Amino acid sequence: TADLLIGTDSEDQNITKNYTIASIISLAASATSGGYINAAVTVGATTVTPIAEASTFYSLEGTLVTSVSKLWAVGTGVDVNKIIYSGTASQVTNIISTVNILGPMNTVINIALFKNDIEIAGTRQTIRIPSVAVPASVCLQTINTVLADDVISVKVMTIASTNDVTATHYNISATSV
């Protein structure tokens, strides 16, 4: 037998009904049109992001792999380090990325979230790499509206050097709110 909950139908408040847990979950799932994704670079797979020019943003390198997704996908080809919204309806979305990054000691880096290659206001963080063996860690987040085919990425730039950097951990997730 299924677990039951007793409740009142909002359209007919005089009648109590028995609901199964499964029926409530399926109602909740069908009522939300929102999408989600969690993608990360495979553990142990580090990729160097070449920095050819100081004070210029470059896409953080690494091949993202999706663990779960609905209405989102990891890009293909040159976009394997980005996530792409494949829904058709506009969605208010919570976007979070965590990154651990290595490079030469005391390298100062700006890192930010981008949508369609435009920096998302308020997401830029400045970090300093503490040593060649200890990565700097950063968490970026924003709530932003996405439309069909919007591309979300993480980009880095060094402030006063052309030191290449390496992401030892790169995760990005998006969830409709």
Side-chain angles (χ1 to χ4, degrees):
T1 60
D3 292 327
L4 298 175
L5 295 173
I6 298 173
T8 305
D9 187 327
S10 64
E11 295 175 5
D12 187 355
Q13 296 181 1
N14 295 325
I15 299 174
T16 58
K17 296 183 177 180
N18 293 328
Y19 297 96
T20 65
I21 302 294
S23 70
I24 292 171
I25 290 171
S26 69
L27 284 173
S30 66
T32 59
S33 60
Y36 52 84
I37 189 169
N38 186 54
V41 172
T42 304
V43 174
T46 59
T47 306
V48 173
T49 299
I51 306 293
E53 191 175 313
S55 301
T56 300
F57 272 107
Y58 295 90
S59 291
L60 187 65
E61 294 297 329
T63 301
L64 291 169
V65 177
T66 305
S67 58
V68 295
S69 68
K70 173 185 170 189
L71 301 179
W72 284 86
V74 168
T76 58
V78 297
D79 292 332
V80 295
N81 54 346
K82 303 170 184 170
I83 58 173
I84 301 168
Y85 177 62
S86 58
T88 56
S90 154
Q91 292 287 313
V92 176
T93 303
N94 185 22
I95 302 162
I96 300 172
S97 181
T98 57
V99 178
N100 292 347
I101 198 159
L102 280 173
M105 184 173 164
N106 293 322
T107 299
V108 178
I109 297 170
N110 279 335
I111 186 166
L113 291 170
F114 281 69
K115 180 169 78 173
N116 301 325
D117 286 326
I118 297 170
E119 184 178 352
I120 299 173
T123 65
R124 185 185 296 199
Q125 304 235 0
T126 302
I127 58 176
R128 180 182 304 271
I129 297 176
S131 82
V132 294
V134 178
S137 298
V138 66
C139 180
L140 307 169
Q141 60 184 2
T142 188
I143 294 178
N144 201 281
T145 301
V146 293
L147 305 171
D149 301 320
D150 275 351
V151 177
I152 305 296
S153 62
V154 174
K155 293 190 178 192
V156 296
M157 102 171 137
T158 55
I159 303 300
S161 69
T162 55
N163 295 328
D164 296 345
V165 295
T166 302
T168 60
H169 170 84
Y170 172 25
N171 171 275
I172 189 164
S173 63
T175 308
S176 294
V177 293

